[in-house]
Amino acid sequence: MLIRDSGMPDESYWESLFDVPLILSRLDMTRFGQVAELGCGYGTFSIPIARAISGTLYTFDIDAAMLERTRERAGGLPIVCEERDVMELGFGVQVDAVLLFNILHCEQPTRLLRHAASALRKAGEVLVIHWRYGDTPRGPHLDIRPHPEEIVAWAADAGLKNVAGVIDLPPWHYGLRFCLQRASNDH
Ligand SMILES: C[S@@+](CC[C@H](N)C(=O)[O-])C[C@H]1O[C@@H](n2cnc3c(N)ncnc32)[C@H](O)[C@@H]1O
């Protein structure tokens, strides 16, 4: 099921809206081995994250053109790009971190967060970034755009607890980190 309002503008415009090195640094991405990402899009985050981590990045998208663009940019990096409806099927891998970037305005956020939680290894983290609530040059309509507190509440229902408050990711985003409430997925 295609997540609502998940279409992409032009690649160079999209990539002008993020300070990617700052985001990777504030989320401390180099800690991780295997990582799974919902929605590679143009590979905006997939490519630099695959460079930063010590293992493989598994990235899933429902749109073949987005997967093709990310594969084209991946070169010899350890990236597996797969066409997969994550909302329907979950991630199908066990990893150290799951990335939900610019996606939690979906129709069923708690279901998606449950899929993310069940893909985590014991000490893993779900990492979220989203558009600030308010005036931004892009982002989902405010009627469907979540506040960070809403995401924290949905995550709690999915068995995840927030570990570092709300992380400022200027110019337009914030980040949230979550670990398992009960680290019982011992893999
Ligand atoms: C707003 S874009 C964000 C892409 C990337 N995470 C980023 O921040 O640059 C959302 C992406 O999710 C993909 N998508 C939408 N619904 C999906 C689903 N059910 N399963 C997998 N990918 C999906 C879209 O095709 C699109 O590439």
Side-chain angles (χ1 to χ4, degrees):
M1 181 179 51
L2 180 67
I3 288 167
R4 65 184 173 186
D5 212 348
S6 65
M8 297 288 268
D10 173 73
E11 179 177 326
S12 57
Y13 175 62
W14 179 254
E15 299 201 340
S16 74
L17 298 168
F18 305 92
D19 183 340
V20 175
L22 176 136
I23 292 172
L24 268 52
S25 162
R26 292 204 177 163
L27 296 177
D28 202 4
M29 285 302 312
T30 55
R31 295 174 288 158
F32 299 113
Q34 315 294 92
V35 174
E37 176 187 39
L38 190 162
C40 57
Y42 296 116
T44 306
F45 295 96
S46 327
I47 304 300
I49 286 173
R51 280 201 193 97
I53 62 179
S54 58
T56 299
L57 175 77
Y58 299 88
T59 189
F60 305 104
D61 208 293
I62 209 168
D63 182 332
M66 292 291 156
L67 289 158
E68 192 182 327
R69 177 64 182 135
T70 302
R71 281 193 194 106
E72 184 182 79
R73 296 174 89 181
L77 289 169
I79 302 184
V80 175
C81 298
E82 190 181 308
E83 191 166 334
R84 185 178 180 92
D85 183 337
V86 174
M87 191 54 89
E88 288 303 318
L89 302 171
F91 288 87
V93 286
Q94 290 291 315
V95 289
D96 305 308
V98 174
L99 313 181
L100 301 177
F101 285 8
N102 301 304
I103 208 73
L104 274 172
H105 51 279
C106 56
E107 291 87 342
Q108 297 174 285
T110 306
R111 181 178 180 205
L112 181 53
L113 284 156
R114 282 201 183 100
H115 284 324
S118 57
L120 281 190
R121 292 185 178 135
K122 192 177 176 185
E125 288 192 10
V126 176
L127 304 177
V128 170
I129 76 167
H130 214 290
W131 296 92
R132 290 180 184 171
Y133 194 91
D135 191 20
T136 54
R138 173 95 198 168
H141 194 280
L142 291 182
D143 290 350
I144 60 166
R145 193 183 303 195
H147 291 275
E149 300 76 21
E150 288 176 279
I151 297 178
V152 170
W154 296 331
D157 288 342
L160 294 163
K161 71 176 173 209
N162 181 223
V163 286
V166 181
I167 302 163
D168 189 28
L169 303 174
W172 306 117
H173 288 74
Y174 62 87
L176 296 164
R177 288 174 44 199
F178 297 96
C179 66
L180 292 167
Q181 282 165 5
R182 284 196 197 85
S184 56
N185 282 13
D186 201 354
H187 299 281

